Amino acid sequence: MSDWLANVIDKIKTLSSSVDKYKKDTVIQSLPSLTYVNRAKKLIEQNKFFDAEDILLKALELPQKDALVYKYLGVVYEKTDRNELAVESYQMSADLNPQDKNIWQRLGFALISIGKFEQAEKSFENSDRVHSGVSETFAGWGMSLMKQKKYSDAREKFTRSVKLNKYNFSAVFLCAVMEIKLEMYDKADAKLSFLSNVCPNEGNTYEYARLKAIKDDYENAIHYAKKALEYNSNMLPAYILLGQVYSTIADKDNALKSFETAFEKELISLSLFLEWGKVLQKFEKYDEALEKLLKAYEYDAENYDVLATLGFCYALKKDFVQAEPILQKVYEKEPENKKVKQALAIIAYENEETDKAISMFKSDDEDAVNCYYLAKCFERNNDYIRTIDYYEACLRFNPQYITAYIDYVKYLIFKEEYADAQRKLRKALKIEENNVILLNLMFNVSYILVKDNIYEYNVKETLAVAEKIESINPDLFEYPGQKQELVKLLQERD
C-alpha cells in the first residue's frame, strides 16, 4: 500500500476514538476474561503492545471465548503492523459479538491494509448497519471502493462522510482525489483550495499541485509542488511532478535538476528512473535516457510502461534490433500503447514504409515526435505545405527540439528560403548557443544572404559565427573557403 494511503487510513482511524480511548464496552462485565482485558488495555495505552499480547493470549486459554479478548488482540496486532493477524482477530470478535459498534469498522480498515478490498467493503456496510451515520465508516467504505477503482461510488461515500463530519479532512481530501479521477476538476479544486488554507500538509498540497498541472496551470503547479517539499523535503512524487512540469514548459535545466535532487537524496525507485528517462528523451539525451530506463527495467522487467518507454528509446536511437522484441512484447498485451505505436511508426519510416508511418503517426498529431516524423514523411513525399505545417507544429509542442530545428533549416535551405532558415537558427541558437551543427548552418545561410546584400555589419556578423566555431574546434568548421572570401571582401572595402 502506498505511504500516503496508509497515512490517510491512520488519520481516519484516529478520528474514531471508540477503541483507542477504550470507552466502556457493552458486554457482560462478569466474564472471567475481563480482568485480562483491562490489564491489556492499560498496557496498550502505555504502548507496551507485546506485554498486552501475552496477557490476551493467556485469556484465550480460558474455556469461554470472549469477543473483547479478540478485539483487543486485533488492536495489538494492528499497532505492531501484523495486519493479517489483526484481520483474523477482528473477524473472530465480530463473529462472537456482531453488534459491537465499531468492530466491523476496525475489521474494514485492517482488510484494506492487507488488500482485501471487497471484503472491506462488506465490513463497512455491516458497520453502518450496526451503528449508522458514522463519518469514519463512510470514509473507510469509500477507501475500499477507491481501491477497487469504483471511483464514482467511492466519491459518494466520501461525500456522505464529509456531510456527517465536515472536519473529517481526510475524507474531504479523498473526495477531491476521486473528483480528479472523474475529471470533475472544478469541484476538486474547491476542496483542495480549502484544505490548503485550513489544514495544509504534504499530501493535500501535492495533490493540489498535481491538479494544477492537469489543468495546465503550470505556474501554480510548480508553486504547490515546492510547498509540498517544504512540508516534506523527501517527497519523491513532488520532485517527479516538478520534473514533468518543467519539461512541459521546456525548462530543461530545472526539469533535470528536480530528478537529480531526488537522486541525491537517495529517493531511489522505479518511478524516479522511469520518469527521469522520459524527460531525458524529450530533451534528446537518448544515451542518458537509456541508462535511466535500464535502471527502471532492473526494478521490474515486466512493467509495460517501462518496456514501452525503453523500446521507444531504442527506436529513437535507431537501434531496432534491441527495440523490436521489447515493443512486440508490449504490443501483444497493449496494442494501443502510445509509445509502442510511436516506436513502430519510427521503424516503418526508417524502412521507407512512408504511408504506413504517416497513418500511425497521425494517431496523435499533437505530439512533438510524431509531428517531426510527419514532417519528414511529407518532405519525402514532396508535400511542401504539410512539411512546413508539421515542422511548425513540432516546434510548438517542443520548442527545444534541436534535431527538428536542424532538419527544418536544412529543408528551408533546400527550398532556398534562406531568411526563414536564418530566423529559425537564431531561435535554436538561443537554446544551444555552442551547437556546432547549428553554427555551421548559420554561417552557410548568412553567407548566402550576405552575398545578396553586402553590408559591412552583415559580413562581420557572419565572420563572427565562423570565429565562434573555430574557437570551439577549428576542425569542425565546414566553410573555410567561404570565410576567406568574406575576409577578402572586407579587405577590398577597406
Side-chain angles (χ1 to χ4, degrees):
M1 187 189 320
S2 59
D3 291 341
W4 72 267
L5 179 56
N7 291 335
V8 170
I9 289 175
D10 289 341
K11 289 178 183 177
I12 290 176
K13 286 193 289 189
T14 56
L15 291 171
S16 180
S17 59
S18 53
V19 170
D20 294 338
K21 292 186 179 179
Y22 311 111
K23 292 181 178 179
K24 184 178 179 181
D25 289 284
T26 57
V27 296
I28 301 171
Q29 299 297 303
S30 59
L31 288 174
S33 57
L34 185 63
T35 301
Y36 291 96
V37 171
N38 286 335
R39 288 172 60 196
K41 286 161 66 174
K42 290 180 181 178
L43 290 167
I44 290 171
E45 289 171 351
Q46 298 168 21
N47 294 329
K48 297 179 179 179
F49 302 121
F50 292 104
D51 291 339
E53 180 182 358
D54 291 339
I55 290 171
L56 292 167
L57 289 174
K58 288 178 183 177
L60 290 182
E61 296 174 4
L62 296 172
Q64 187 173 5
K65 292 184 177 180
D66 184 351
L68 278 182
V69 174
Y70 287 103
K71 180 176 182 177
Y72 286 102
L73 194 55
V75 172
V76 167
Y77 289 139
E78 192 175 344
K79 294 287 188 182
T80 53
D81 292 323
R82 290 176 285 172
N83 293 309
E84 292 276 0
L85 292 173
V87 166
E88 291 177 13
S89 296
Y90 285 143
Q91 184 65 66
M92 183 64 75
S93 180
D95 291 341
L96 292 169
N97 182 20
Q99 297 305 310
D100 185 312
K101 287 187 176 181
N102 63 17
I103 189 61
W104 292 108
Q105 184 191 109
R106 303 298 300 194
L107 176 59
F109 282 117
L111 285 163
I112 288 176
S113 297
I114 65 171
K116 295 186 177 180
F117 307 122
E118 291 184 14
Q119 290 175 245
E121 179 185 349
K122 293 175 183 176
S123 188
F124 288 116
E125 186 177 354
N126 287 338
S127 180
D128 186 56
R129 189 179 295 117
V130 172
H131 187 195
S132 62
V134 178
S135 175
E136 294 75 31
T137 297
F138 281 100
W141 201 344
M143 282 183 183
S144 67
L145 291 162
M146 175 182 72
K147 296 301 290 184
Q148 297 176 67
K149 299 185 179 181
K150 298 178 181 178
Y151 301 131
S152 182
D153 291 341
R155 176 180 178 269
E156 186 268 332
K157 300 303 180 190
F158 292 134
T159 300
R160 290 188 66 179
S161 176
V162 174
K163 285 181 179 178
L164 290 165
N165 178 8
K166 65 182 180 180
Y167 298 109
N168 190 339
F169 296 140
S170 295
V172 176
F173 170 70
L174 290 171
C175 190
V177 172
M178 292 303 93
E179 287 169 346
I180 293 173
K181 289 282 189 183
L182 296 166
E183 299 183 7
M184 303 168 69
Y185 299 136
D186 290 341
K187 289 184 179 295
D189 197 305
K191 290 179 177 64
L192 292 171
S193 176
F194 165 75
L195 291 173
S196 69
N197 291 315
V198 174
C199 62
N201 59 41
E202 63 188 80
N204 298 341
T205 309
Y206 165 74
E207 203 64 29
Y208 202 21
R210 196 171 72 86
L211 175 59
K212 292 299 185 183
I214 291 170
K215 296 175 73 175
D216 297 337
D217 183 355
Y218 301 123
E219 183 177 351
N220 275 314
I222 291 168
H223 170 76
Y224 286 106
K226 287 181 175 180
K227 289 289 289 184
L229 290 171
E230 289 178 11
Y231 294 116
N232 179 2
S233 63
N234 290 319
M235 189 178 191
L236 176 59
Y239 287 111
I240 291 175
L241 181 63
L242 280 171
Q244 292 168 330
V245 172
Y246 280 126
S247 170
T248 300
I249 62 175
D251 186 341
K252 179 170 66 175
D253 291 341
N254 278 316
L256 298 181
K257 182 181 177 182
S258 299
F259 291 104
E260 288 160 5
T261 302
F263 182 76
E264 288 166 3
K265 288 180 171 288
E266 299 184 350
L267 305 176
I268 309 301
S269 72
L270 181 150
S271 59
L272 173 67
F273 289 120
L274 174 59
E275 299 305 325
W276 197 351
K278 289 178 181 179
V279 169
L280 285 164
Q281 279 184 352
K282 176 174 180 177
F283 294 117
E284 301 181 80
K285 293 179 174 290
Y286 301 133
D287 290 339
E288 292 178 49
L290 181 61
E291 177 192 341
K292 307 307 178 194
L293 294 171
L294 288 172
K295 288 283 189 182
Y297 180 81
E298 290 176 10
Y299 277 85
D300 187 353
E302 299 300 319
N303 183 298
Y304 287 118
D305 194 9
V306 172
L307 289 171
T309 309
L310 180 59
F312 180 60
C313 189
Y314 278 125
L316 289 169
K317 287 170 61 63
K318 297 182 173 52
D319 187 347
F320 303 138
V321 173
Q322 294 282 358
E324 288 181 330
I326 296 171
L327 296 168
Q328 188 60 38
K329 183 175 181 177
V330 181
Y331 184 78
E332 289 173 0
K333 294 290 185 180
E334 299 180 0
E336 295 303 313
N337 186 291
K338 177 182 174 181
K339 289 295 179 190
V340 171
K341 290 174 75 173
Q342 276 188 298
L344 293 175
I346 291 170
I347 294 171
Y349 169 79
E350 295 295 342
N351 290 335
E352 298 192 2
E353 299 175 274
T354 309
D355 291 341
K356 178 182 177 181
I358 289 171
S359 176
M360 296 173 76
F361 285 126
K362 276 192 170 182
S363 65
D364 182 7
D365 61 1
E366 293 189 356
D367 176 272
V369 172
N370 283 7
C371 287
Y372 166 73
Y373 275 99
L374 281 167
K376 298 290 288 180
C377 286
F378 287 116
E379 183 178 346
R380 182 183 284 170
N381 286 349
N382 297 315
D383 187 332
Y384 172 82
I385 292 176
R386 290 185 181 180
T387 300
I388 295 295
D389 285 347
Y390 278 111
Y391 272 129
E392 290 290 341
C394 169
L395 294 174
R396 186 167 63 252
F397 294 127
N398 183 1
Q400 295 210 5
Y401 202 155
I402 295 299
T403 299
Y405 274 112
I406 290 169
D407 286 355
Y408 191 8
V409 166
K410 288 179 179 178
Y411 181 69
L412 291 170
I413 292 172
F414 174 72
K415 290 295 183 179
E416 299 184 356
E417 297 183 16
Y418 304 118
D420 284 344
Q422 189 180 59
R423 282 192 286 271
K424 298 300 176 189
L425 285 165
R426 283 179 177 147
K427 287 184 179 180
L429 285 165
K430 286 180 180 178
I431 301 165
E432 291 191 10
E433 62 178 352
N434 293 320
N435 187 304
V436 173
I437 297 174
L438 292 173
L439 288 167
N440 271 300
L441 287 169
M442 176 60 91
F443 177 85
N444 183 38
V445 168
S446 300
Y447 166 78
I448 293 168
L449 288 171
V450 85
K451 293 276 286 183
D452 292 334
N453 193 4
I454 300 175
Y455 286 102
E456 184 175 342
Y457 174 80
N458 293 340
V459 175
K460 288 182 176 179
E461 188 179 52
T462 304
L463 288 172
V465 175
E467 290 163 5
K468 184 166 187 176
I469 299 169
E470 290 173 332
S471 70
I472 296 169
N473 187 337
D475 295 335
L476 297 178
F477 181 50
E478 298 175 3
Y479 303 98
Q482 289 87 336
K483 178 191 173 185
Q484 289 305 314
E485 186 180 340
L486 293 180
V487 170
K488 184 178 178 181
L489 186 63
L490 274 183
Q491 291 171 345
E492 290 173 353
R493 283 183 167 260
D494 290 340

